Amino acid sequence: GRQAVQAGQPSSRADLRGCCRVADGGSGGTARPVSYIALWGVGGHCSVAPNPEPSSSSENTKSLLGAWDVIKTKEFVDLTHAFSPGIPSWPGFPTEKRRTLYSIDASGGGELGTGFWAEEFCHVGQWGTHVDPPAHFVKGMRTVDEIRPKEMMMPLVVIDVHDKVAADPDYVLSMDDVKEWEGRHGKVPEGSFVIMRTDWSKRWPDADSMTNKDSNGIPHYPGWTQETLTYLYEECKIMASGHETTDTDPGFATAKDDYTLETYILGTDHYQIELLNNVDKLPEWGALIVASFPKPRHGSGFPARVFAILP
């Protein structure tokens, strides 16, 4: 059987590695090394414990690092607009304000001093490419800080209707569009992030072009429909959705202060991302999306940094 032979008290922690010698009689009594861990015991005496067998965690680590070896070779696409004062936004919001508090030197105009560069940003939560948490429209539901990290990385579904939107800016996503996508790729997967591609982001940063108002002041831009959202969230059980416009609801609906569709999404305890960019660079299926954002306590929304990893 296995025997542990105490070799004496080590004089320092550096001696721990050699403080115990172990042998295994094995069959035929031939001594061979056995893996033990030496531990500093009570009163400085050395004790030993068996080294645990390799666990599944080490295999999981290898698997995760193997996934990174694949991911790091892929193309990353930034789906985020850079924000600044004057960018397109919901018309009821004030524009962003910035102050230079500290600057590297006096020429930078730091109001409080010099030696480094630090700015103060003042903007609404729904600014630029941003996250809308459930609490944005539904009182008592989750705020930005309560969105779990596991909800921020998902398989990506892109339903491309940009040709139809080019022909009709009031176009709304139909079940036929969803079913055509499923005819090519299978059912929209549970836990995925669905983007409606309209190429509306190509109008950025022209606010007038984004709202696309007619002579009567009615905006014309595309949106979702209740039928498609109910199917995606309740039957397919997607994680989240996003679009390139300022609103979930089409322009002709928001002109009447009708935000039924955004209220529906957030009311299902899911979040959405608005004002996405570079959607035309994405495949319909096979990419991953990462939707990340800061964690303001009890926050109603915040600018997001969103990117895709292509297959």
Side-chain angles (χ1 to χ4, degrees):
R2 294 181 178 178
Q3 298 178 345
V5 182
Q6 183 169 308
Q9 181 176 328
S11 59
S12 69
R13 289 184 181 270
D15 294 327
L16 283 173
R17 181 176 298 177
C19 78
C20 294
R21 299 175 61 84
V22 297
D24 187 342
S27 60
T30 304
R32 61 181 177 83
V34 177
S35 177
Y36 273 75
I37 300 174
L39 304 173
W40 215 194
V42 177
H45 293 290
C46 180
S47 62
V48 293
N51 194 24
E53 295 296 323
S55 65
S56 59
S57 64
S58 63
E59 293 303 317
N60 289 340
T61 299
K62 291 178 183 178
S63 176
L64 194 58
L65 293 177
W68 169 242
D69 285 339
V70 174
I71 289 172
K72 69 184 181 182
T73 67
K74 300 300 182 178
E75 181 181 354
F76 285 53
V77 176
D78 193 347
L79 303 179
T80 315
H81 292 290
F83 66 80
S84 61
I87 62 171
S89 68
W90 186 70
F93 289 145
T95 193
E96 172 191 341
K97 296 178 182 178
R98 293 192 189 186
R99 294 171 59 204
T100 300
L101 301 182
Y102 291 86
S103 54
I104 300 296
D105 53 38
S107 67
E111 297 179 19
L112 302 181
T114 60
F116 57 91
W117 185 29
E119 296 178 288
E120 178 184 76
F121 298 81
C122 181
H123 55 73
V124 298
Q126 280 67 28
W127 192 245
T129 304
H130 64 268
V131 58
D132 289 329
H136 176 45
F137 265 50
V138 187
K139 185 176 181 179
M141 298 198 75
R142 290 191 299 160
T143 50
V144 170
D145 55 310
E146 295 175 308
I147 296 173
R148 298 177 296 273
K150 271 198 170 184
E151 297 175 73
M152 299 180 186
M153 184 174 184
M154 299 145 280
L156 178 59
V157 169
V158 179
I159 301 177
D160 184 358
V161 293
H162 81 280
D163 286 337
K164 297 174 182 179
V165 170
D168 177 10
D170 292 319
Y171 188 80
V172 291
L173 190 71
S174 71
M175 278 302 298
D176 286 343
D177 297 319
V178 177
K179 291 302 181 181
E180 286 174 11
W181 187 96
E182 291 186 326
R184 293 188 293 273
H185 306 290
K187 186 174 180 178
V188 173
E190 181 175 349
S192 58
F193 187 107
V194 178
I195 293 178
M196 176 184 175
R197 176 187 167 187
T198 59
D199 283 1
W200 211 254
S201 59
K202 294 180 182 294
R203 296 169 178 252
W204 182 278
D206 187 330
D208 290 338
S209 182
M210 290 286 287
T211 54
N212 194 35
K213 291 181 179 180
D214 62 23
S215 58
N216 296 316
I218 304 299
H220 296 275
Y221 50 82
W224 301 76
T225 59
Q226 185 63 64
E227 183 182 24
T228 56
L229 290 172
T230 299
Y231 175 75
L232 292 169
Y233 277 99
E234 297 185 27
E235 185 167 332
C236 299
K237 301 186 184 306
I238 65 171
M239 183 70 74
S241 56
H243 41 268
E244 300 167 74
T245 54
T246 55
D247 296 294
T248 315
D249 300 79
F252 60 80
T254 64
K256 298 177 287 186
D257 288 330
D258 180 358
Y259 297 93
T260 301
L261 302 181
E262 183 164 357
T263 303
Y264 167 76
I265 292 175
L266 303 184
T268 64
D269 197 33
H270 293 268
Y271 72 88
Q272 67 171 10
I273 302 289
E274 294 190 306
L275 290 170
L276 288 165
N277 191 25
N278 292 324
V279 178
D280 60 315
K281 298 179 181 179
L282 304 175
E284 288 191 344
W285 174 240
L288 298 176
I289 188 170
V290 177
S292 63
F293 29 84
K295 193 178 180 180
R297 185 172 177 81
H298 304 319
S300 62
F302 217 83
R305 188 64 182 268
V306 186
F307 62 91
I309 305 168
L310 303 193

